[in-house]
Every structure is written in structure tokens, then in C-alpha cells.
């Protein structure tokens, strides 16, 4: 019965190149033929030709160009929704066949400032469970499309991010919450040990830009409360880059507490006691559900969930 069922399905896709699904998913995730080609190790013309075959097969344009990006049509969204979870499971099963028993290398992606808190506990847990396992830390970026690409194509095993990622094939676990602190130069001429929101908003800021919706929303809340717009003088992509700027200027910055503790003895900076409650940055652990089929990975996830202080609602 099973053989007959499989034969019928094989007949249904006879003549259809299943490699086109990989190209479709890559274009869907990146919104770009060029990026998809780079990821797959193909030429852009090869991916474009594949899209042409898919458009003919489904009688739909699938992607429409808007500016420099390609946006999926309703049909493309429907194809992705129906195929993605099964496609993701297929990749996971193939990975298990490739290395069925043990994981000899664990790839972890998280921003540098989160690594200050995460890598120590993670390395200790890996050493307990699989002492010979190599850990590779990457900082490939934490946009939604980047993380989808990292996990879908198994470029990384675990992603740590300050934004949750809603996907049926992923697990997202709130690992811990990171307090924020306002910092300034030790010799700042105006900011005292304690400051009101209105006083802070009169100052210029150094903005740590890491695509965090949490920080953007917090800035908007502060602007709404004080009815004043925050003035951004400098913008950096990494929290460590903010420290020398804060030391050398009169600007302020919102940074994670652990980052401040890491750098406070290297730079002439100090925290500012503010007269309002600062939010905390949530830190999430994201991974493919199918990865839990591996005993080492499952044990590691359980141990990491217990390695950090519990989050209280």
C-alpha cells in the first residue's frame, strides 16, 4: 500500500525538477535573485532561468519587483506556506543521514554583546555533554531574513537574538532578560548622577543600531512621554564601538548592563541613575524543532534552559 502511494506521488511530480524548490525558497527568503545565487553557489542567470520554469509551471509571476527587492505574489506565499515545513524537515533528515550519531561541531550565531553573557555558559554545557564537540561562533546579523536563511539551510544550529522569531518549524525560548543602562562620559558637563527623562532628551545620543524593535519602540515611548525627539549624533553597529565615542563626547547611550560591566574599566564612562524604569532586553534562543531528534542537541537545549535565571512575568 505504501509503495503504491509513493508511486502515485512520484508520478505526480514526474518531469518536475525538485531542485527548483530549493531555488524558490532561497529567492523567497532573500527577495533577491543575486543573493539566492550567492547562497546556492550558482549564477544569477541560472536562478533566473529556474524562476522562469517555475512561473511557467504555476502560471504565475511568483515574484514582483519593487525597487531592488522581489516580493512574493499570493501564489508564491501559498507555495511557501504549504511546502516550507516539509522542505525544512527534509533538510533535517538529510543532515541526520549525513551525520547520524554525533555532532562534532556546533554553530552558534549571536551578536557580539550577547556573546559576553551566552558563550561562557554554553561552552561549559557543551564540555559536560560532548567534550570533543567544537563550537563555532558567528555574527552573521540578526534580521528576520538572515536568521531564516541560517536555520533553513543549516548554516547554524542555534541563534540567540533579542527578537522572537515566529515560525512553525522553529522553537523560540525566552532564555533571560538583559537590563539596560544609560551611560555617559565620567566628566560629562551637564548630566548628574540622577536625571529626569526631560533632562536626558536634551542631550545628544550615540545610537547602537542592531535592528532591535525593542529599542526602537522604547525610544518612541520615551519621546512620547517627554514630547521631545531624541537627537542622534552618532550611530554604530556594535555596542563596543559606542564606548570610545561616549568617552570622547558628551553623548549618551542606552546599552546592555553586561556590556557596560565589560567595558567600564577600559573607558572613562559611568552609568546614569535615571528617574524612570528602563525596560529589559529579552534574549531568545531559536533553533529548528527537528534538531531535537539528535540526543546531544536535545540535552544541550535542556541544560541551557536551566543555565540562566528564570524569567518572571
Amino acid at each position: 500500500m505504501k509503495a503504491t502511494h509513493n508511486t502515485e506521488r512520484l508520478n505526480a511530480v514526474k518531469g518536475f525538477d525538485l531542485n527548483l524548490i530549493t531555488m524558490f525558497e532561497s529567492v523567497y527568503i532573500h527577495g533577491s535573485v543575486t543573493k539566492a545565487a550567492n547562497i546556492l553557489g550558482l549564477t544569477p542567470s541560472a536562478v533566473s532561468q529556474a524562476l522562469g520554469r517555475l512561473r511557467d509551471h504555476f502560471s504565475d509571476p511568483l515574484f514582483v519587483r519593487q525597487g531592488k527587492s522581489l516580493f512574493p505574489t499570493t501564489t508564491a506565499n501559498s507555495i511557501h506556506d504549504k511546502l516550507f515545513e516539509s522542505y525544512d524537515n527534509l533538510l533535517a533528515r538529510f543532515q541526520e543521514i549525513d551525520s547520524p550519531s554525533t555532532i562534532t561541531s556546533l554553530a552558534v550565531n549571536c551578536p557580539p554583546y550577547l556573546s559576553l553573557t551566552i558563550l561562557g555558559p554554553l561552552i561549559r554545557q557543551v564540555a559536560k555533554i560532548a567534550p570533543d564537540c567544537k563550537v563555532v561562533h558567528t555574527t552573521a546579523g540578526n534580521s528576520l531574513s538572515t536568521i531564516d536563511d541560517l536555520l533553513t539551510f543549516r548554516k547554524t544550529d542555534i541563534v540567540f537574538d533579542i527578537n522572537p522569531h515566529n515560525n512553525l518549524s522553529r522553537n523560540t525560548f525566552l532564555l533571560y532578560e538583559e537590563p539596560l543602562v544609560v551611560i555617559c562620559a565620567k566628566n560629562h558637563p551637564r548630566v548628574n548622577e540622577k536625571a529626569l527623562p526631560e533632562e536626558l532628551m536634551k542631550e545628544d545620543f550615540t545610537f547602537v543600531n542592531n535592528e532591535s524593535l525593542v529599542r526602537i519602540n522604547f525610544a518612541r515611548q520615551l519621546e512620547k512621554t517627554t514630547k521631545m525627539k531624541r537627537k542622534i549624533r552618532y550611530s554604530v553597529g556594535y555596542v563596543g564601538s559606542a564606548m570610545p565615542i561616549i568617552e570622547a563626547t558628551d553623548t549618551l547611550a542606552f546599552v546592555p548592563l553586561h556590556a557596560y560591566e565589560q567595558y567600564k574599566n577600559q573607558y572613562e564612562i559611568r552609568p546614569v541613575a535615571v528617574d524612570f524604569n528602563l525596560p529589559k532586553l529579552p534574549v531568545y534562543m531559536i533553533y529548528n524543532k527537528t534538531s531535537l531528534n539528535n540526543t546531544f542537541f536535545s540535552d544541550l537545549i535542556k541544560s541551557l534552559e536551566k543555565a540562566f535565571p528564570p524569567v518572571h512575568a
Side-chain angles (χ1 to χ4, degrees):
M1 184 70 179
K2 183 176 180 181
T4 302
H5 185 64
N6 286 343
T7 300
E8 291 175 354
R9 288 190 168 179
L10 288 172
N11 285 331
V13 298
K14 185 168 58 178
F16 182 83
D17 185 355
L18 293 176
N19 290 318
L20 297 178
I21 300 301
T22 297
M23 298 188 194
F24 170 84
E25 283 297 327
S26 190
V27 174
Y28 187 94
I29 289 170
H30 293 285
S32 166
V33 168
T34 302
K35 290 180 180 178
N38 290 336
I39 291 296
L40 298 174
L42 300 171
T43 63
S45 62
V47 177
S48 293
Q49 289 174 21
L51 278 183
R53 293 167 63 188
L54 284 168
R55 284 165 173 152
D56 290 340
H57 181 85
F58 291 107
S59 301
D60 188 87
L62 297 180
F63 297 97
V64 178
R65 180 169 297 281
Q66 295 182 20
K68 295 182 179 180
S69 298
L70 294 176
F71 287 84
T73 64
T74 302
T75 299
N77 283 326
S78 177
I79 294 169
H80 172 77
D81 291 342
K82 291 176 181 177
L83 293 182
F84 180 76
E85 187 170 1
S86 298
Y87 177 74
D88 187 62
N89 287 333
L90 175 63
L91 292 177
R93 298 302 182 213
F94 184 82
Q95 189 178 45
E96 290 171 14
I97 294 171
D98 225 18
S99 56
S101 57
T102 60
I103 294 179
T104 58
S105 179
L106 182 78
V108 177
N109 186 82
C110 68
Y113 69 89
L114 289 185
S115 68
L116 299 175
T117 307
I118 289 171
L119 287 186
L122 183 141
I123 294 294
R124 285 192 287 271
Q125 298 304 322
V126 170
K128 289 179 184 178
I129 302 170
D132 295 329
C133 181
K134 179 175 70 173
V135 177
V136 179
H137 171 232
T138 62
T139 56
N142 287 71
S143 68
L144 291 174
S145 61
T146 299
I147 288 178
D148 271 343
D149 173 66
L150 290 173
L151 292 171
T152 298
F153 296 103
R154 299 308 195 274
K155 297 176 183 178
T156 195
D157 299 296
I158 309 175
V159 170
F160 296 93
D161 189 22
I162 55 181
N163 293 309
H165 291 260
N166 299 316
N167 189 304
L168 291 175
S169 64
R170 315 264 193 260
N171 277 342
T172 298
F173 179 78
L174 180 56
L175 196 62
Y176 68 95
E177 291 183 315
E178 173 75 63
L180 282 177
V181 62
V182 183
I183 62 171
C184 68
K186 283 187 176 178
N187 60 351
H188 197 289
R190 290 174 300 280
V191 177
N192 299 316
E193 292 184 358
K194 194 166 188 178
L196 296 170
E198 292 78 8
E199 294 172 323
L200 290 183
M201 294 298 281
K202 292 178 181 177
E203 301 294 330
D204 289 349
F205 280 80
T206 293
F207 177 56
V208 182
N209 181 13
N210 61 358
E211 301 186 28
S212 166
L213 295 178
V214 176
R215 290 191 185 182
I216 293 172
N217 289 337
F218 169 65
R220 289 174 180 168
Q221 291 170 14
L222 190 58
E223 290 173 358
K224 184 176 181 180
T225 300
T226 60
K227 296 181 181 179
M228 300 170 67
K229 187 171 180 59
R230 185 170 54 152
K231 296 174 289 183
I232 305 297
R233 192 193 305 178
Y234 307 106
S235 181
V236 297
Y238 166 49
V239 69
S241 303
M243 304 302 173
I245 297 177
I246 297 301
E247 179 185 54
T249 68
D250 294 344
T251 59
L252 310 180
F254 294 98
V255 300
L257 178 60
H258 278 97
Y260 167 71
E261 294 292 342
Q262 180 75 16
Y263 291 106
K264 68 179 181 181
N265 295 325
Q266 302 176 42
Y267 298 96
E268 293 294 311
I269 58 177
R270 63 177 173 86
V272 179
V274 294
D275 194 25
F276 58 95
N277 293 325
L278 286 173
K280 294 181 179 180
L281 288 179
V283 178
Y284 297 94
M285 177 170 62
I286 306 128
Y287 55 90
N288 289 312
K289 292 179 180 178
T290 52
S291 296
L292 294 175
N293 294 328
N294 182 278
T295 302
F296 159 71
F297 192 87
S298 178
D299 290 344
L300 176 62
I301 292 299
K302 290 176 183 176
S303 64
L304 287 174
E305 289 177 355
K306 298 176 183 177
F308 293 86
V311 177
H312 301 287

